[in-house]
Amino acid sequence: MGFIRGFCPTNLKKLFLEENVGGFDLLFRTVFGILATLALSTGVVRKSPWKWIVAGIAFTGLYSSILRHCTPYAILGISTAEKKKASVQETCISEQYIKKC
């Protein structure tokens, strides 16, 4: 069932918690989240449908920048975060997981 690159249904930690946002992408999400929040709080956006769209942008931008995680990136196998060196224990666990999945 490897129809989606980097996705395995049993690996929920990777799908929902692994850091995969960093660098310029992190800055971009943070700035747009803050700008959308300011637009909502100052009343720049007044019409109802636009308020919901801007609120979605604000929530998504701030949520993904705080957690440094983007679920669509995890499903597609994309990562803009810096790679950190894995310890020996993490390497063994990931090798065991690859054999099971």
Side-chain angles (χ1 to χ4, degrees), residues 88-101:
V88 174
Q89 184 179 8
E90 289 175 352
T91 305
C92 291
I93 291 171
S94 66
E95 287 176 4
Q96 290 173 354
Y97 174 74
I98 290 171
K99 291 176 185 174
K100 289 180 186 177
C101 195

Side-chain angles (χ1 to χ4, degrees), residues 82-87 90-91:
E82 292 181 13
K83 303 288 183 200
K84 59 182 178 182
K85 293 183 180 179
S87 66
E90 289 175 352
T91 305

Side-chain angles (χ1 to χ4, degrees), residues 3-81:
F3 61 94
I4 298 176
R5 186 175 163 216
F7 175 72
C8 182
T10 58
N11 194 359
L12 295 178
K13 181 181 177 192
K14 181 178 180 181
L15 182 63
F16 292 112
L17 298 175
E18 185 179 83
E19 288 185 5
N20 60 4
V21 175
F24 180 73
D25 191 22
L26 180 64
L27 179 67
F28 181 78
R29 291 168 187 266
T30 305
V31 168
F32 271 92
I34 291 171
L35 289 176
T37 303
L38 288 173
L40 287 170
S41 64
T42 58
V44 172
V45 182
R46 295 189 187 266
K47 294 188 178 182
S48 183
W50 284 105
K51 276 188 177 182
W52 287 106
I53 293 169
V54 173
I57 292 169
F59 176 76
T60 305
L62 293 176
Y63 179 80
S64 63
S65 65
I66 290 170
L67 293 181
R68 292 182 168 217
H69 176 77
C70 178
T71 303
Y73 275 15
I75 292 171
L76 296 173
I78 301 170
S79 177
T80 58

